[in-house]
Amino acid sequence: QVQLVESGGGWVQAGGSLRLSCAASGRINGRNAMGWYRQAPGKQRELVALITSGGSANYADSVKGRFTISRDNAKNTVYLQMNNLKPEDTADYYCNAKTFSLLGSTLGDYWGQGSQVTVSS
């Protein structure tokens, strides 16, 4: 069983930066992707960024050029560096990890507890 523990949320003024971390307690083997989602009040959860076990990263258009996702496979940890934060980035941010079979089917889908990020104008 994999558990994801997040840290690094908080409050910041617009234009500031925050870094989120997510550490997996169990080893995530094989083909996998780790990512960050966010959910603002009254809105659906949306993908912010993800990174595969091979290092390929994808971002939501709204955060491209401002956010950077990275991972340390030796530490089973994924990071989200958030720069030039905007009030519309305010949300609960959730870490996610998915593992896949060789044929691409999802084997495991794990979520962190959520970290609140508040950006004031």
Side-chain angles (χ1 to χ4, degrees), residues 2 6 22 28 38 53 79 82-83 101:
V2 174
E6 303 173 24
C22 172
I28 300 176
R38 68 186 180 187
S53 48
Y79 306 95
M82 303 183 291
N83 297 329
S101 71

Side-chain angles (χ1 to χ4, degrees), residues 2-6 36-37 45 94-98 109-114:
V2 174
Q3 289 186 326
L4 304 178
V5 178
E6 303 173 24
W36 294 91
Y37 290 72
R45 190 173 295 188
Y94 296 89
C95 178
N96 175 258
K98 292 182 175 63
D109 190 4
Y110 310 98
W111 291 91
Q113 80 279 9

Side-chain angles (χ1 to χ4, degrees), residues 5-62:
V5 178
E6 303 173 24
S7 60
W11 176 89
V12 67
Q13 287 188 325
S17 299
L18 286 173
R19 188 192 195 207
L20 301 178
S21 299
C22 172
S25 61
R27 186 163 182 81
I28 300 176
N29 294 314
R31 300 178 65 192
N32 66 80
M34 297 185 75
W36 294 91
Y37 290 72
R38 68 186 180 187
Q39 187 167 17
K43 294 188 177 181
Q44 289 188 328
R45 190 173 295 188
E46 62 175 359
L47 175 66
V48 176
L50 65 83
I51 185 167
T52 68
S53 48
S56 296
N58 288 288
Y59 299 90
D61 288 342
S62 59

